[in-house]
Amino acid sequence: MDQEYERRLLRQINHQNLPEGQLAKVSKVISCATCSPLSVKSGDRFIPTRAGSNWCINFHYANENCQSPNQNHRSKDAGSDTGKDTVAYAALLRNELLGAGIEGVPDLHPEDRRHTVFSQDTHSLFRYTVHTKRVPFDSGNEVSPYSLSPLSNKSHKLLRSPRKPARKISKIPFKVLDAPELQDDFYLNLVDWSAGNLLSVGLGACVYLWSACTSQVTRLCDLSVDGDSVTSVCWNERVSLQPCPISVIILHVSSTLHLITHRLVAVGTHKGYVQIWDAAGGRKLTSLEGHSARVGALAWNGEQLSSGSRDRVILQRDVRTPPSAERRLQGHRQEVCGLKWSPDHQHLASGGNDNKLLVWNSSSLLPMQQYSDHLAAVKAIAWSPHQHGLLVSGGGTADRCLRFWNTLTGQPLQSTDTGSQVCNLAWSKHANELVSTHGYSQNQILVWKYPSLNQVAKLTGHSYRVLYLAVSPDGEAIVTGAGDETLRFWNVFSKTRCTKESKSVLNLFTRIR
């Protein structure tokens, strides 16, 4: 404290006629304040020390925390232009403020961006020196010294870097059909889409065919006459080459062969029968017995038909031979609710209400592999058309997980919790993606990328469990069915990225002519 100011203060106190004791105390306090070290070192401003601050991390989390919950929710949409622009803008700011040197927009899923911090700059944020070193302008990557842009060379490269076009999946179905009496039963399979673009749907005791080309609806069969109901439908996708008739040869002189599709539909019933129907002629060809309970799962393998029933048995029969020539596969302890043949026609995967996933070969009566990791019924099964031996399965309400298996080695690969009951699975024919339909409790449709298992899209619209799923012949659209008695058609896959067939030496069947 200033000495002159102290004297004036004492004189003012003396004029107030204070007692001598109080005057002595005031004088002591003033003298102590004068000698205090804090009073000597203190100033009128507080300047914080920034030496230990990590500006890369602070800047990163400041961007994340400044967004509202709605903005955070929208930024999780990996296919949106806004999300990609936000990432590019954040990288541009890091270049200019932190000198990060980012030359390309990172193609990260939103779930990964939250945990990704760009390389830390070793320089201080508050840098007042100017680099005077000039690089000769002889490279296409450098900015002209006469440019008026305030951005650095790295930022110019960032802005010129190519960006992938945004993948947009419509969240609204392009068609909705009424499906009265479509049962809300997890263990049934009542929808299938044929290679001839015909959709078969089991409604109550009838099977109806809907043409995707003409939108014409025809009734194939009615089981109410026998007091029975439909529990599963499945198309035979076998296509064979046969000689053309004379009339066809006259009309198509350049061709001597033509494709004949066997439009056979297998229909499983509540009483345990499997009926084979000719869809083109609208007539029943045969009725197969052998099951003592409802048949909820069907799968064709050429001319062989596999059927899974509530009696825990899988029957394999060739429709060209007498019914007595059948193979009985017994491995499940409860109802068989899922059946799928592998693309190479060598292995059959079966799922049951006993939480087991079994893999069978075409020659043995015992399962070659058994997986017991699921905690609920396994109905959703799908073989990958892109990777030989890759199998995915989904569990029911108590499990809710997608699990991937390498059936060549018998080892589990990875898994993810979907948050709701997995009802059906299907792979894309053109890209390494798959779609899953779900029940309790969200009733949603999810599109996944493999092997990252990032969600490409989430589709909602059904008010009941999405129990039924089928893929269109061109592999671009899917149809879903639910207990709300509607069929909804969605465009989820694209043909732009075609995956080549794997040339692995482990795939022995691709090398056999």
Side-chain angles (χ1 to χ4, degrees), residues 236-299:
N236 184 0
E237 301 297 347
R238 182 175 177 82
V239 178
S240 63
L241 286 172
Q242 292 188 3
C244 287
I246 300 297
S247 59
V248 177
I249 295 177
I250 294 175
L251 294 176
H252 305 280
V253 180
S254 61
S255 177
T256 59
L257 295 175
H258 78 135
L259 292 175
I260 294 182
T261 304
H262 295 271
R263 293 190 176 181
L264 301 182
V265 183
V267 179
T269 73
H270 185 77
K271 292 185 175 181
Y273 296 102
V274 178
Q275 299 181 1
I276 310 298
W277 286 78
D278 178 12
R283 59 192 180 92
K284 182 171 67 174
L285 301 180
T286 184
S287 181
L288 304 176
E289 301 178 356
H291 289 293
S292 59
R294 68 180 181 186
V295 179
L298 296 169

Side-chain angles (χ1 to χ4, degrees), residues 345-408:
H345 309 288
Q346 300 298 317
H347 299 94
L348 173 68
S350 65
N353 198 34
D354 56 357
N355 310 344
K356 298 293 191 300
L357 174 66
L358 306 182
V359 179
W360 315 74
N361 59 25
S362 57
S363 59
S364 175
L365 297 179
L366 297 176
M368 56 176 291
Q369 292 173 1
Q370 177 175 323
Y371 304 103
S372 306
D373 293 6
H374 284 290
L375 304 177
V378 182
K379 175 193 176 185
I381 303 172
W383 292 89
S384 171
H386 312 293
Q387 185 174 340
H388 181 61
L390 176 60
L391 177 65
V392 59
S393 58
T397 307
D399 184 74
R400 307 175 304 178
C401 290
L402 294 181
R403 300 185 183 275
F404 295 81
W405 318 91
N406 184 349
T407 59
L408 300 180

Side-chain angles (χ1 to χ4, degrees), residues 137 167 308:
F137 183 67
R167 166 95 178 274

Side-chain angles (χ1 to χ4, degrees), residues 43-110:
D44 59 344
R45 292 185 301 168
F46 173 72
I47 301 177
T49 302
R50 296 184 173 92
S53 300
N54 191 335
W55 291 102
C56 290
I57 296 179
N58 294 342
F59 179 77
H60 176 78
Y61 283 106
N63 270 353
E64 294 290 337
N65 295 331
C66 68
Q67 294 182 350
S68 65
N70 292 334
Q71 290 174 332
N72 283 330
H73 178 71
R74 288 194 298 267
S75 67
K76 290 183 180 180
D77 187 2
S80 64
D81 293 333
T82 305
K84 292 187 177 181
D85 291 341
T86 303
V87 176
Y89 180 66
L92 186 64
L93 289 180
R94 288 188 177 91
N95 277 354
E96 297 305 314
L97 297 179
L98 305 176
I102 305 172
E103 299 183 4
V105 179
D107 188 15
L108 295 175
H109 189 266

